[in-house]
Amino acid sequence: MNIGVDAAALGMSNAVVAHTADVNSGYWNPAGLVNLEDNQMALMHSSYFANIANYNYAAFAMPIDDRSTMGISIIRFGVDDILDTTQLIDDQGNINYDRINLFSAVDYGITFSYARKLPVQGLNYGVNAKIIRRIIGDFASSWGFGLDLGIQFEGGND
């Protein structure tokens, strides 16, 4: 879940937390969502390790009113079609290739974001609620939950 999103942000070595201001703010700093003027959506796909691992990201954000915005994003990072050879050899020591199964090792992350402008001019805050799910075939699975709080301040150009 630490790979990052948005080609522009990745091109800047992830140095976007302070000035993020689009749909991808739900990932970097949810306070930046208040800068949206209209609905926005982002999609990203990236392959790693010679196309063995795939990283997919989708996000949507929309203004609620002139002071607040909400968004949702989903991340999937996984390796699919891994050979499960744990049952390759039966109890009598015979090799049976028909007993090979496939499984996936996948991480899912879903983030719900809310951002609001504070009464202080230029001060915004945002909150994320995250649910993370890891599934490794039939072998293991886990859940994780988290909260993020982000603040941005935009001063005048004096």
Side-chain angles (χ1 to χ4, degrees):
M1 301 286 116
N2 290 327
I3 291 175
V5 301
D6 184 26
L10 295 172
M12 292 174 40
S13 298
N14 303 340
V16 297
V17 174
H19 70 83
T20 185
D22 61 9
V23 66
N24 298 308
S25 297
Y27 182 90
W28 298 107
N29 182 348
L33 287 172
V34 296
N35 297 304
L36 267 67
E37 295 178 6
D38 201 0
N39 297 349
Q40 286 187 6
M41 186 171 88
L43 301 170
M44 182 178 131
H45 169 77
S46 183
S47 295
Y48 291 88
F49 311 113
N51 294 328
I52 294 173
N54 290 299
Y55 184 76
N56 298 299
Y57 167 76
F60 176 78
M62 62 184 238
I64 299 171
D65 55 34
D66 63 336
R67 301 195 56 78
S68 57
T69 304
M70 62 182 280
I72 184 170
S73 61
I74 299 170
I75 294 175
R76 180 192 187 272
F77 181 68
V79 177
D80 298 309
D81 299 330
I82 301 169
L83 296 176
D84 176 7
T85 59
T86 58
Q87 304 299 318
L88 177 64
I89 301 173
D90 64 17
D91 295 336
Q92 289 76 36
N94 300 316
I95 296 175
N96 183 352
Y97 292 102
D98 293 332
R99 295 172 59 137
I100 295 176
N101 295 311
L102 300 175
F103 71 95
S104 297
V106 182
D107 289 339
Y108 295 97
I110 185 167
T111 303
F112 301 96
S113 305
Y114 175 79
R116 185 155 179 88
K117 293 180 181 179
L118 290 170
V120 176
Q121 181 66 30
L123 188 61
N124 307 320
Y125 77 93
V127 143
N128 281 342
K130 296 180 182 180
I131 302 170
I132 298 173
R133 175 83 166 137
R134 173 170 283 173
I135 303 171
I136 304 174
D138 294 332
F139 309 107
S141 65
S142 63
W143 289 93
F145 305 94
L147 293 172
D148 297 326
L149 175 65
I151 296 175
Q152 281 185 334
F153 179 72
E154 183 177 337
N157 295 330
D158 296 330

